[in-house]
Amino acid sequence: MEFLNDMNVILQILSNICIVTITLITEDNVHRALSLYSSGGENSKAIVDEYDVAVAKFASAVSELKSVFPNPADWKIYENDEDYKVIIGKAYRAAAAQLNRVKQYYVFEWDDAFGITLAEWQRYAGAYRNLFPAEETDSGSINPMQGDIKLEGTELITAATVMKLIGNRVHTEGSVQCVDDETLRLLHEQIAQPEALGEAKSANLLLQFVDEALVPGLIPTNKDIEEAFSEWKESILIKKIQQYAETRELDINILLSVFKRYNPNDEVIPDYNDLLACIKVPEGRSLLEIKMEIVGSLREQLDEWKRESFN
């Protein structure tokens, strides 16, 4: 009997040890999870702020953004100022990252305490996208335009919605499609909105299409407007590729083949050696000089053309 009592005591002690150990392990795991959890995967503190504190931090980041970039409509002033763009980019990304943290609270809604209206924030987001068009802005802290933030009773005007507006407002005169003066004024006004929201290149292409193809009456009545716009964009892109080829004495057909087969994710540029082999060296220039120029610019140029082809 004494032996059994001793065993019961030992089992009770072991049981207590296991409970304490499991508790400590669980607590340790919780602390570890909290220390590892962050918004964006950086070595930052876990989100443990009260909502009001998180909002105050966002308002502070917005204040800093406004101090370095008072008017997002002025983004074109800084388009070629690489040094100042770094400052703007850093301030914007800090504010966007904090906004993403604020959005994680279930009580989140746009508030005066943010120090910025939603419309203003969207203009800042648009300016950022115009200044950094090559950046991946679909994820992480640079994603300011999610559908869960909307202005009540309003719709964001995008290049796609303007395209639909054009299709709805054109009329026919003889064998071509045209727009009247009031529609033209409205289109110019509407096209300005996508530009402010980060679609500057698409907006400028739309404006160019309206002024150079639609207004002069170059679109036949049997042609769908969106199809006409796609064909017109392709013709503009082909002209750019031709200009690049002509200034470097390249075969345009081979360069077009390179462009069509090029994938930005691939390390190797297709038909690259064939392209270099077709160079015709003009008088006063060397083959090495032209090759060095192509090596230094081709991939960047192909990336830009691909982006334009998808706009």
Side-chain angles (χ1 to χ4, degrees):
M1 182 67 68
E2 185 177 349
F3 171 76
L4 291 175
N5 288 336
D6 290 342
M7 286 299 296
N8 286 333
V9 171
I10 292 172
L11 289 173
Q12 184 63 44
I13 292 172
L14 289 174
S15 175
N16 290 337
I17 291 174
C18 288
I19 292 172
V20 171
T21 303
I22 291 171
T23 302
L24 290 174
I25 291 173
T26 303
E27 185 179 354
D28 180 65
N29 286 340
V30 170
H31 284 298
R32 184 175 299 177
L34 285 173
S35 66
L36 291 175
Y37 179 65
S38 63
S39 60
E42 298 176 356
N43 293 326
S44 57
K45 294 181 179 179
I47 303 178
V48 293
D49 289 332
E50 294 289 335
Y51 180 69
D52 290 348
V53 175
V55 167
K57 288 182 177 180
F58 174 56
S60 177
V62 165
S63 178
E64 176 64 22
L65 174 61
K66 288 183 174 182
S67 70
V68 300
F69 193 21
N71 186 358
D74 292 336
W75 65 268
K76 289 182 181 179
I77 297 174
Y78 309 104
E79 192 171 12
N80 298 314
D81 189 339
E82 297 301 326
D83 291 337
Y84 204 76
K85 277 170 61 176
V86 170
I87 297 173
I88 292 174
K90 183 178 179 181
Y92 172 79
R93 285 190 294 271
Q98 185 60 29
L99 174 59
N100 280 353
R101 296 186 186 102
V102 173
K103 284 167 59 180
Q104 293 178 35
Y105 293 82
Y106 74 93
V107 293
F108 166 77
E109 62 178 355
W110 208 269
D111 193 277
D112 291 343
F114 290 179
I116 188 171
T117 66
L118 177 57
E120 284 180 294
W121 176 252
Q122 288 169 340
R123 287 194 289 273
Y124 271 104
Y128 179 87
R129 292 164 68 177
N130 288 333
L131 288 171
F132 302 93
E135 279 197 15
E136 195 64 47
T137 56
D138 297 333
S139 60
S141 66
I142 315 174
N143 191 7
M145 305 285 285
Q146 290 293 337
D148 57 322
I149 303 180
K150 295 179 180 178
L151 284 174
E152 214 170 300
T154 66
E155 179 184 1
L156 290 177
I157 303 298
T158 65
T161 57
V162 173
M163 194 71 248
K164 291 179 181 178
L165 176 63
I166 293 174
N168 292 334
R169 298 296 293 262
V170 295
H171 65 275
T172 59
E173 289 185 7
S175 60
V176 298
Q177 301 184 56
C178 302
V179 288
D180 56 36
D181 290 342
E182 175 57 22
T183 298
L184 187 60
R185 183 198 65 77
L186 179 63
L187 288 175
H188 277 255
E189 182 181 288
Q190 295 291 303
I191 288 172
Q193 294 189 49
E195 179 178 352
L197 295 177
E199 296 188 63
K201 287 194 173 183
S202 297
N204 288 336
L205 276 174
L206 274 172
L207 189 59
Q208 192 177 351
F209 170 71
V210 168
D211 291 341
E212 296 181 6
L214 191 57
V215 172
L218 302 180
I219 304 173
T221 54
N222 61 351
K223 177 73 70 174
D224 177 76
I225 282 290
E226 292 193 31
E227 182 184 354
F229 180 55
S230 295
E231 292 177 357
W232 176 84
K233 278 200 306 181
E234 185 177 358
S235 71
I236 295 296
L237 184 57
I238 295 297
K239 287 179 182 178
K240 290 183 178 180
I241 297 174
Q242 286 177 329
Q243 184 178 19
Y244 181 92
E246 289 172 1
T247 56
R248 292 160 182 81
E249 301 293 332
L250 297 173
D251 186 300
I252 181 60
N253 293 320
I254 296 179
L255 182 56
L256 284 173
S257 175
V258 170
F259 166 68
K260 289 175 182 177
R261 296 178 56 204
Y262 175 71
N263 184 334
N265 296 320
D266 292 343
E267 292 184 7
V268 178
I269 296 176
D271 300 330
Y272 184 65
N273 290 330
D274 292 341
L275 185 66
L276 295 182
C278 77
I279 296 175
K280 299 174 183 178
V281 184
E283 188 176 346
R285 298 194 69 185
S286 69
L287 179 60
L288 178 61
E289 178 188 359
I290 296 176
K291 282 187 175 181
M292 290 297 291
E293 184 179 331
I294 293 172
V295 168
S297 66
L298 183 59
R299 183 176 288 278
E300 182 179 345
Q301 195 63 69
L302 287 168
D303 286 339
E304 182 178 331
W305 291 336
K306 281 294 181 181
R307 286 195 297 272
E308 290 183 15
S309 68
F310 289 123
N311 279 340

